[in-house]
Amino acid sequence: MAPSFAPSAVTTGIFVMAPPAPKPYFSRYGGTFKTPMYITLSDPLLNATIYYTTDGTTPTTSSTKYTTQLTVAVTQTIKAIAIAPGYSPSLVTSETYTISIPTATPVISPRSYIYTAAVSATITDATPGATIYYTTNSVPATTSSTRYTGP
């Protein structure tokens, strides 16, 4: 109502709140793994579009659109959302994959044998930057054992 005006006609509006789309599914739960892997994302809505991030940030429709399996070769958190017609964006779902590739087994050269004279042994490891520890008394080596620095 306004001064000097007659009341207006009544206007009615109907507002429907769209339910959220179902959250995307990951083909594997997160955890600690010894080898790289492939992860697929899916959603029960066939017309849903999935968006994801691998840097821990919250995905939006500006994030990377999921089109094919993801390679997980380093530790990372994958977060995803689903967008579908007639639905509001899904809640964020995420999984963290920790890749912990074991250090290579050290190699002693020359190989084990009964020698009749002193032998200079070398120890190598294929893992870049590995620190090697050793013992000479048949007790398994630990990080408290002697650090290998040369033959």
Side-chain angles (χ1 to χ4, degrees):
M1 292 194 41
S4 303
F5 288 92
S8 69
V10 174
T11 300
T12 304
I14 299 175
F15 299 91
V16 178
M17 297 301 292
K23 294 189 301 185
Y25 294 102
F26 289 76
S27 60
R28 289 185 85 161
Y29 292 114
T32 300
F33 303 91
K34 293 182 179 181
T35 60
M37 70 189 76
Y38 296 107
I39 301 296
T40 57
L41 302 176
S42 60
D43 193 88
L45 298 176
L46 298 178
N47 60 348
T49 302
I50 298 172
Y51 296 91
Y52 70 94
T53 61
T54 58
D55 61 2
T57 61
T58 301
T60 67
T61 55
S62 298
S63 300
T64 305
K65 183 178 175 180
Y66 176 77
T67 57
T68 188
Q69 65 186 6
L70 306 175
T71 301
V72 178
V74 296
T75 297
Q76 62 186 261
T77 297
I78 301 173
K79 292 185 177 186
I81 59 168
I83 306 292
Y87 292 87
S88 60
S90 74
L91 297 174
V92 176
T93 187
S94 70
E95 294 290 345
T96 298
Y97 301 92
T98 302
I99 306 300
S100 181
I101 299 171
T103 303
T105 301
V107 175
I108 300 172
S109 181
R111 63 183 178 82
S112 295
Y113 186 74
I114 299 174
Y115 294 94
T116 58
V119 175
S120 179
T122 59
I123 308 173
T124 58
D125 190 287
T127 305
T131 301
I132 300 170
Y133 296 92
Y134 71 96
T135 64
T136 58
N137 59 3
S138 300
V139 174
T142 67
T143 55
S144 298
S145 300
T146 304
R147 182 173 183 225
Y148 177 76
T149 58

